[in-house]
Every structure is written in C-alpha cells, then in structure tokens.
Amino acid sequence: MLSRWFDFGGDAIINTNEHIRLTQDVPSQSGYLWSRHPLFVPHFEVEFEFRVAGKGTGIVGDGFAMWLTKERAEPGPVFGNRDRFEGLGIFFDTYANTPQSHSFPYVMAMVGDGQTSYDNAHDGNANKLGGCQADFRDKNVPTKARITFNVKTGILNLKLQTTAWDHWVDCFTLQDIKLPSSFYLGFTAHTGEVHDTHDIIGVTTTVLEQSSHDNFVSQKHNNTPPPSKKSGLGWVFKFFAISGVFGGVIFVAYKASTKNNNKRF
Ligand SMILES: [Ca+2]
C-alpha cells in the first residue's frame, strides 16, 4: 500500500493485483494517483492502461485526466484536480456539459499557464489544443493511451488503443508545446451526479534518447503480446517498471549532485 514513487488519495482505493480505482461507480467521488518525485527528462513516453465502466447505460461521467504539471496532489474541480494548473492536462471526458459537435467520450488536451481556468461549462473548448472522439468506455479489449513528448521539438503525440490489441490510432499531434522544466505525472478522476468507475491498471514510462542522426529513438520498446490470462501480479509488475524508470531519473539527479559536491570539496 505504500510506495516510494507514487501515492494516491481522495476516494482512490487500491487493489494491489488489479488496479488503482480513482472513483467507484457512485456519485460525488474524487481520487488521485501522483508521482512523488518530479520528472526532468527531455524526451519520453508514458503509456498507461485504464478502464472506465459502470452500471449506467445512459448518462455517465465525468471522466478522468492524465497530468504532467508543476503541481501535484491538489484535489479540485477539474476531473478531481486543481484548476489553474501549470502544465499539461489530457482529459478523457465521458460527460457532455454542453451540446457539442462531436460525440462523447472525447479526449482533449490543454496546456495551463497557472492562471487560466479549465472551461468546465463547455468541456474545455476555450483552451482545447487538440482532441478526438474515442469510444473507450466499457470495452472488452484493454484500453490504453501512449503519450510521447520531446522538449527540444515541442512535439507531443497521443495515440490510443481502444478497438483491438496493438491497434493504435492517432488522437492528436501538437506542436510547440512547452511544459514546466520539471513536472509530476498524475491521474485524477471525479464523479458528480453521474458516475463510473475510473481505473488505472498500469503505467510504464520510457526515457527516449537522441540518436547520432539527430533522430530520436526509444531505448526500449514495449511490444509484449497480450496476456493470455490476467496475471495477478500485473499491477505489481508494472508498478516496478515505473519505479525503475523514476528510480533511474532520481539516481542520475543524485549522482550529479554528488559530483558537484566532490568538485567543491
Ligand atoms: Ca465534460
């Protein structure tokens, strides 16, 4: 239940073998999962598996969000997180606050400057940088998202897997994105009058490197085939995968600091 790298709170509950449940399928819940330590990596990928489902067949909500922000673990009104955040929010919105030209669920991105509010009344339209319709609710296949971001080029891409295993569809690619120099990785969700369960099943982060040809290549590709049977250790395994990457980053930071100290003395 305790982790050096992540913590959770609000109404989030943990099933060690299965998932972190950010909200249950009941009204007025709000939960979070946040990295304890900031990331300082210039080029990376975050892939996570999630599941949104519930007994409701009509109006459900409200959805969940993935964050790369300067702040962490500050519950509030934006899918369970604080408003006026600084950094990236990707919203997996299952509830139409106002009639839209697109259908729901809808996935969209906003980069906050620490002062601008999320446009809650219009599902974030005022600050939408990119988005796509994505039928990710209550699916039989594992639903996943993969975000890649390159600080140098400012290019941010989101792909989704919602229809079949290893069938990734581009949701959006954004240019000239600037994030805070260090940021935390978080997931939050909330329910209001309408509700759903919002689960984070696993997260893997990969540090990507620059090749000698100035192209960026991945140190590691995660092409593992679908599990033939759900492993009880799935969450634990993935959790250690995260810890490994964060551990690596922290270790580098620690090494750098030690080196400076050595020089000084
Ligand atoms: Ca909404």
Side-chain angles (χ1 to χ4, degrees), residues 139-228:
K139 306 297 283 186
N140 290 323
V141 294
T143 41
K144 295 185 178 186
R146 184 189 288 160
I147 293 99
T148 54
F149 179 62
N150 184 330
V151 171
K152 187 177 170 188
T153 63
I155 294 174
L156 188 141
N157 174 257
L158 172 67
K159 289 182 171 57
L160 299 170
Q161 172 188 291
T162 58
T163 55
W165 184 269
D166 217 23
H167 181 67
W168 291 90
V169 175
D170 254 314
C171 181
F172 53 72
T173 299
L174 309 176
Q175 316 277 342
D176 301 323
I177 297 300
K178 286 184 175 59
L179 296 185
S181 56
S182 73
F183 44 81
Y184 297 93
L185 169 63
F187 299 89
T188 66
H190 76 172
T191 64
E193 288 177 38
V194 292
H195 42 85
D196 255 337
T197 54
H198 299 92
D199 300 341
I200 301 299
I201 295 167
V203 186
T204 53
T205 58
T206 308
V207 178
L208 304 175
E209 276 196 341
Q210 192 173 6
S211 81
S212 55
H213 301 293
D214 204 32
N215 291 318
F216 287 89
V217 294
S218 172
Q219 276 184 328
K220 181 188 86 172
H221 283 286
N222 189 2
N223 285 329
T224 45
S228 54

Side-chain angles (χ1 to χ4, degrees), residues 65-69 85 87-91 108-112 172 179:
M66 191 212 85
W67 304 95
L68 295 172
T69 55
F85 53 88
L88 174 74
I90 298 182
F91 311 123
M108 63 149 279
M110 168 179 174
V111 173
F172 53 72
L179 296 185

Side-chain angles (χ1 to χ4, degrees), residues 62 79 93-98 104 118 120 122-124:
D62 281 275
F79 295 91
D93 193 346
T94 51
Y95 176 76
N97 294 62
T98 193
F104 283 77
Y118 170 72
N120 187 60
H122 308 98
D123 302 297

Side-chain angles (χ1 to χ4, degrees), residues 20-38:
I20 301 266
R21 176 151 289 169
L22 298 172
T23 73
Q24 301 181 67
D25 189 16
V26 296
S28 304
Q29 287 222 318
S30 175
Y32 66 78
L33 171 69
W34 279 97
S35 68
R36 289 179 187 269
H37 303 281

